[in-house]
Structures are given as C-alpha cells and as structure tokens.
Amino acid sequence: MDDPLAPFRWHPEPELIGVRDAATSRPALERAGEATWGASMDWLYGHAMRTAMGEPTGYAELRRRYFGDRGRPAPAPADPATLEAVLDEFRQRIAPYTLNSFHPRALSYFTPPPLLASIAGEVLAQWLNQGVDVWQAGPVGALVEEEVGRWLCDLAGYDADSFGLLTSGGVMANFIAMALVRDIHLRRVAGSDAPPRGSALEDVRVYVGDQAHYSIARALDELGFPPRTLVALPTDDRFRLHAEPVRQAIEADRAAGLRPVAIAAVAGSTNTGAIDRIEELAAVANNEGLWLHVDAAYGGAARLSARDAGRVPGLHLADSITIDPRKWFFQAYDLGAILVRDGRHLRATFDRSPEYYRGGETTTSRGTPGSDDEPLNYYKLGFEGTRRFRGLKLWMSWKHLGTSGLGRLVARNLDIAAYLAARCAEAVDLEAYPTDPELSVVCFRHLPGGAAAAAELPGEALDAHQDRLAADLEASGDGWLSTTTLRGRTYLRAGVVNYLTTESDIDRLLETLRRLARRP
C-alpha cells in the first residue's frame, strides 16, 4: 500500500498536511484542534478576561516588542516548524498584546465579543472553504447566504421582492448603496439609456446629517461624484436629522438648477447612537422622488428585541439599508450586509459575466435573485469577486440563540447603557451628552472638581483631561473607552455592545476613572 504521507515527509508533522487518510491523520488533527483550542482558552482566561488592552499600549513600543530591535518585519520563515512551536509563538508574540473584546469593561468601538456559535461557524467555514462568488464554487454556501439575507430583510420589514447581500462590513454596504443611487436612481431620474458617468454626475446632490458615517462621502468620491455632491445638514440637540432641513435644501438646490437624488439617513450613528427621523425623511424622499438609504449598520439590530424594536422605526420605507451583524449581532469579523427593497437592482448594477465564469448560468433572468432558475452567482450582485463564506457564522448564531435570544442580549446592552447614563446624571463630576441615549452609546465627560469647577477651566484643558483619562484607562488594563468630538468638545465614548458587561462593571469603570483623575 502506498504511503499517503510520502509526499509530505519533508515536514516534521506530515500527518497535518497529507490529511486524506483518516487512520493516519485524524488522531493528529484532533490533537492539533485541541492544542489550538487550548491556546484560545489560554488567551481568553490568561489575557482577555484579565485586562481590556494588552501591554504596552504605545504604538512605537508595541512595534519594538513585536518586531524586535529590527523595528520592521523579519524575512518569511524558510523552513517548516511544528504546530506547537507556532502556537507557542502565538502565545508569546500575539496573545498578550490584543484589544480584548471579551473583557467586560471593554466598551470600545462596535466590537463585541463574538458568540461561541459565531466562532464555531468561522472554524467550519474555513474547513469547508466555499467560494461564495460563483455558485459552483460554493453551492450550498450560496443558499446559506440567501437564507440569512432573507432573515435580515424580514427583520427590516421588507417583502419577498427584497434581497440581502452579505459584505465585508458596513463601509462596503454603504458603497454598494451609493452605486445603486448612481446606476439605478440617477439613471432613472435623468432618463438615461446608460448608467451616468463623468459630467452627468456634476449637478447631483445627496443629503446627510452631520453625524453620517464617513463611508458615504468616501463612496461618492470613489464613484466619481465631485465633493460638492454631499450636502451635510445640521442635526438637532440629540444629533438627529429632521425632514425640514432636507426639504429646504432640496427646494434651494432645485431652484439653483441642481439635481437632488438621495437622502442617506443613519439609524444608530457611530458617535452617539442617534437615529435620524426616518419616517419623516421617507415622506420627503417619496414626495420629492429621491432614493432613501438608511445606514442602520449598528442600530438595525435593535429590531431583534421585541421590547426595543420601536426605537428604529420605518426601515421598510427605505430603498436600501446597511446592517452590520459584526456589530450588534455579536459576530466575529468580518460581516456586513446591504438590504435592497427591490433585489433586481443588484443584478442591474453589477451583472457582468466574464467568459471563464460560464458554468451554471442557464438564463439571463432579471428577476429578484434567488426567485428564479438561474443559480446564485454572487459576483454578479456586488463589487466583490472572491467572497468568503461569511454567512455560516450568522446562520449558526441565529439558530443557536433565536431572534428572541439575540434580542435579549441587545436589550441587556440597552439597560446597561441606560444605567451608565443614570449614574452620570446623579453624579456631580460626570456629564453625559445626550443625557439619555437613544441606543447603547453613552458619551460623557469627567468634570474634575465638579460641574462648577470644570466650568472655570478652558475648554481645551477639559478636552485634554478626557483624552488623558482614556489613555490612562487603556494603560491600566481595567477598561477601554474611545473618545469622540461632539459640537467641538471631547467626550469619552462607551459603546455598550458587550453582552458580558454588568452594572457592577459600570460602577468599577467609573471608580477607576475617578482614581485616575486624582493622579497628578
């Protein structure tokens, strides 16, 4: 009998490479899996649950620690090593230095600890290695992605003509939405035979609030629109965009001979979690013939909670919606989604067929993807060609917890955020803005000496105090907060999307901030 490992005996562990024979390789693979999982548990309980951020926290020092005296990457390894040796290097060079989203006082950007089912889905997806671009490269993967896309559309309130496309994240989803604005809606408004390009984009206007995500501007720029295309309008004292400023801007722009085409609202802004007045904006869009996109990358998940779904109303009125399950669905990186009310628009915008992708294409249907006999070739529905099997981890998580379980975690985060806001309201040395968050982002400041004393400080000094507190908190390892700027002033920002955080963690976080503030 031929030796199945003969081609691989140059490696110290040939059974981990030539895996075709179960008798030869399965025991070794199981030991390798146990060792890898063990390294994960060592990181989780030896680092992640102990400190919110690894040491050192300075960029230059971390580069020196990781790269050594060279200060730059070493050459690629020339010779093989055992998996245990590689895991040991992971333990030494990587595990101690991470941002630890599992730490219960890590309230950073929208990076929650991933659910166990999401991690399991990632492991299985890597084994299956499905290419969800051409149907034949990942046949059942295409169907799993269609299914979770349907679940997301249902959550938003869309009907059967809609379609959900998984993306790398919210930025790519917003990019696709702006491509639809250009190639579907602007073409329709202009009465053009072809998607508008070049000078046809010169007089277009797209309206956002001043809290819109940067990716809307970036997408318009990369899609060929001039910078003046984006019109950022003022929001109210709770950072929400209302209909009237948009209506007035549309009227003024039309009078100037310009072409309003879209409103890009936000449902859960990154800065504050603010939710634009979506139903009002939908009425304006409908009356004025504009496309309405809603960036609900973060806030859309509130609809998982039966108690809190009403915080994000009117999503079904939008022409397109961004949702980012990597955020408040507690998924591992990476995973975003663009939901389109009329799924045919994706094909109309992105359907290109190179000669080497002929397999499995039986029709030239323009119906809603998944509703006809043509296989789902996802490269024809978005920008990406190569697409990893992102849908499995969300599929497994949703199956494992159900909508009700995911909603319980979201509701718990909202309760913790409300608790933090209440603690700020009752304290003389803390100030939240807004005082009662719409979702689970709480922006607040520490006021040294209390409100009256802090009011005597120069604004720049109070801003610097917040930055110092954030840096000292990070260095302490006892928690992690980001900072942001609201109306020109610096605030600490707690993004509460960590399902492990308790009220006691909030109390300890505030105690740590006060202790750090007393340091000279």
Side-chain angles (χ1 to χ4, degrees), residues 170 174 267-268 294-301 322-325 327-329:
N174 282 339
V294 176
D295 179 359
Y298 155 55
T322 289
I323 290 185
D324 196 349
K327 293 183 170 71
W328 223 3
F329 287 69

Side-chain angles (χ1 to χ4, degrees), residues 17 61 211 285 327 365 385 394-395 415 429 456 487 513:
I17 301 174
E61 175 59 21
Q211 298 298 301
K327 293 183 170 71
S365 170
L394 180 57
W395 185 89
D415 290 344
D429 61 344
E456 299 297 321
R487 304 293 190 245
L513 289 173

Side-chain angles (χ1 to χ4, degrees), residues 496-513:
V496 185
V497 292
N498 188 332
Y499 56 82
L500 300 175
T501 304
T502 67
E503 288 87 352
S504 295
D505 289 306
I506 296 301
D507 291 340
R508 176 166 169 172
L509 181 72
L510 296 179
E511 290 170 5
T512 300
L513 289 173

Side-chain angles (χ1 to χ4, degrees), residues 119-195:
I119 296 170
E122 274 290 85
V123 172
L124 293 173
Q126 297 309 310
W127 272 107
L128 297 176
N129 198 33
Q130 303 293 284
V132 190
D133 48 2
V134 182
W135 175 73
Q136 291 174 315
V140 76
L143 305 184
V144 171
E145 182 161 325
E146 180 185 3
E147 189 165 38
V148 296
R150 180 73 261 151
W151 296 346
L152 291 170
C153 286
D154 291 343
L155 187 70
Y158 275 168
D159 64 22
D161 291 331
S162 61
F163 195 78
L165 178 76
L166 300 187
T167 66
S168 59
V171 169
M172 178 56 75
N174 282 339
F175 202 106
I176 291 174
M178 294 302 102
L180 296 176
V181 167
R182 185 190 65 179
D183 289 5
I184 299 296
H185 192 64
L186 180 55
R187 178 180 180 179
R188 182 165 52 207
V189 168
S192 175
D193 293 333

